[in-house]
Amino acid sequence: MPSGEDAIRKKKNKLIRKKLRSESNKVSNRIAAIIAQKKRRQSGKRRMCQGMCFSLPTLEDPFNDGLMNKDVKKKDKKKKTKKDKQSKNVDIVTENGSDVSQNKRKANQSIGSKGKGEISKRARVKIESTQRDKKGSDTKLNGNVTKDEGCPSKFLISCLKTVQDMMLHNEAFERGKPLFFDSWGFEFWRCHSSGTHVLETRGGASMEQIAWIGASAVDTITRKEKEGVSFTSPYLLFLVPSQEKATQVRAVCKPMKAFGIHTVSLHPGASVDHQVLGLKTCEPEFIVCTPDRLLELVSMEAIDISGVRSLIIDELDPSTGDAYLDSIKSIRKLISVDPHTVLFTSGLIDTYLSAISSLLPSPMCKLS
């Protein structure tokens, strides 16, 4: 027999032996299906005790399916309890007598009709209002005080930083100390936010105090304008006894022009016609002036101060004389609203107590 036929025969016999071995190990289709089903049930969800202990098969349960049937029954019980809970939740009725499940179904139908990413305006307003209520309840600490009201805004701090950067080389400023760390300024801001009038008895206003007064006013103007409030007359009126102090105050307020705040200085050092022309060309938010020149411009109808919201009176003491006090009283009568008033004085003398009480109505806070 040729060698080629021997190789073919060997290969054929090898295939026959392989087939016989596979048939001897083969089980019936039914038993194979049961074993596969059992393996699928046991994969990944066996308890620790089931993996460690084994029970022998019996005549009633030759394939040990009883353990798996117990697990299936437990799963069915869990499903039933979940369904029962869901059915109970569906039966919950709100205080107004409307069914919660019906409201949910209506909301889902409206969302489905308008698209997944689109919600009706009325629903969106309700969501925003509930979120605001939740935020308000979370942020409330004591009464009407919230976390946001406990410190000045970032905008106010940026105003202070702008003033300090511009006045870095001014000797009147205390070097090495940021303005927003000034304790007087923080107390003033608290009084300004609550609408409490301020009395300072340590003399005239310093550069740091002027910066805090101006920055707080800028912050209030910006917030009110966002709410839709417009100011037709100047917002802040800073009364000073001399031209030199008016120049100092304007130097501190001038950097706030970066935030859209214009400051005008009115004093006897400039001509009346020049100041009238300046008031016509711009509408200043801050006015720094001496009382006599301001009364002169008001009589000429060059300026309207009836809507001033913040009145700062600087250096009200015996050295300025009674004429200064009388002019301030006349100016106060021209303001129709109740402005937030800050009074700087170097002492409380009997002749000035009645004037101070008339210029500073309650509530009033003495900072010094």
Side-chain angles (χ1 to χ4, degrees), residues 115-154:
K116 292 182 178 180
E118 186 179 358
I119 305 176
S120 63
K121 184 177 179 181
R122 188 175 298 174
R124 186 167 60 248
V125 171
K126 286 184 178 180
I127 293 170
E128 290 177 356
S129 62
T130 53
Q131 287 179 351
R132 284 197 298 270
D133 294 338
K134 287 182 179 179
K135 288 181 180 179
S137 61
D138 293 337
T139 55
K140 279 188 179 180
L141 298 176
N142 294 320
N144 295 325
V145 181
T146 61
K147 292 180 181 178
D148 295 336
E149 293 174 353
C151 60
S153 64
K154 292 181 180 180

Side-chain angles (χ1 to χ4, degrees), residues 94-110:
T94 59
E95 295 178 359
N96 296 327
S98 60
D99 196 350
V100 175
S101 61
Q102 291 179 0
N103 293 335
K104 289 183 178 180
R105 284 197 296 271
K106 290 179 181 179
N108 293 332
Q109 289 175 1
S110 63

Side-chain angles (χ1 to χ4, degrees), residues 18-180:
K18 188 176 181 180
K19 185 177 180 181
L20 291 173
R21 283 198 301 270
S22 63
E23 287 179 356
S24 63
N25 295 328
K26 194 174 182 180
V27 296
S28 63
N29 295 331
R30 179 177 174 277
I31 295 174
I34 293 171
I35 293 171
Q37 185 179 7
K38 186 175 180 180
K39 286 182 178 180
R40 284 196 300 270
R41 289 177 179 176
Q42 292 178 352
S43 61
K45 291 189 178 181
R46 295 187 64 185
R47 292 183 300 175
M48 187 176 291
C49 60
Q50 289 179 346
M52 292 167 55
C53 50
F54 300 89
S55 59
L56 295 174
T58 59
L59 294 175
E60 291 80 8
D61 189 12
F63 298 102
N64 285 340
D65 290 334
L67 293 174
M68 304 313 298
N69 292 332
K70 289 179 181 178
D71 294 338
V72 173
K73 289 179 180 179
K74 288 181 180 180
K75 290 179 181 178
D76 293 336
K77 287 182 179 179
K78 289 181 180 179
K79 290 180 180 179
K80 287 181 181 179
T81 54
K82 288 182 180 179
K83 288 181 180 179
D84 293 337
K85 289 180 180 179
Q86 290 177 357
S87 63
K88 289 179 181 179
N89 291 332
V90 170
D91 295 332
I92 294 174
V93 179
T94 59
E95 295 178 359
N96 296 327
S98 60
D99 196 350
V100 175
S101 61
Q102 291 179 0
N103 293 335
K104 289 183 178 180
R105 284 197 296 271
K106 290 179 181 179
N108 293 332
Q109 289 175 1
S110 63
I111 293 172
S113 62
K114 295 181 181 180
K116 292 182 178 180
E118 186 179 358
I119 305 176
S120 63
K121 184 177 179 181
R122 188 175 298 174
R124 186 167 60 248
V125 171
K126 286 184 178 180
I127 293 170
E128 290 177 356
S129 62
T130 53
Q131 287 179 351
R132 284 197 298 270
D133 294 338
K134 287 182 179 179
K135 288 181 180 179
S137 61
D138 293 337
T139 55
K140 279 188 179 180
L141 298 176
N142 294 320
N144 295 325
V145 181
T146 61
K147 292 180 181 178
D148 295 336
E149 293 174 353
C151 60
S153 64
K154 292 181 180 180
F155 181 75
L156 191 148
I157 294 174
S158 66
C159 291
L160 292 174
K161 188 176 184 304
T162 302
V163 174
Q164 187 161 11
D165 292 341
M166 294 290 290
M167 304 294 292
L168 187 62
H169 303 290
N170 195 317
E171 296 179 357
F173 272 95
E174 184 179 353
R175 297 185 181 181
K177 180 183 177 182
L179 280 174
F180 47 84

Side-chain angles (χ1 to χ4, degrees), residues 174-234:
E174 184 179 353
R175 297 185 181 181
K177 180 183 177 182
L179 280 174
F180 47 84
F181 287 147
D182 186 67
S183 59
W184 186 95
F186 184 75
E187 293 298 326
F188 167 78
W189 173 82
R190 292 179 61 183
C191 296
H192 182 268
S193 301
S194 61
T196 305
H197 304 289
V198 176
L199 175 63
E200 173 60 59
T201 59
R202 289 182 295 187
S206 64
M207 298 296 102
E208 290 82 4
Q209 292 170 340
I210 295 170
W212 267 95
I213 292 171
S216 301
V218 174
D219 184 45
T220 304
I221 292 171
T222 306
R223 187 174 66 252
K224 293 292 185 181
E225 287 179 347
K226 286 182 180 180
E227 296 174 357
V229 180
S230 59
F231 302 100
T232 56
S233 58

Side-chain angles (χ1 to χ4, degrees), residues 234-264:
Y235 182 87
L236 183 141
L237 179 60
F238 208 115
L239 298 178
V240 293
S242 62
Q243 178 181 347
E244 290 76 13
K245 190 59 182 284
T247 305
Q248 293 177 1
V249 175
R250 187 179 182 276
V252 178
C253 297
K254 189 176 180 180
M256 297 178 189
K257 191 175 182 180
F259 303 98
I261 301 298
H262 295 269
T263 305
V264 172

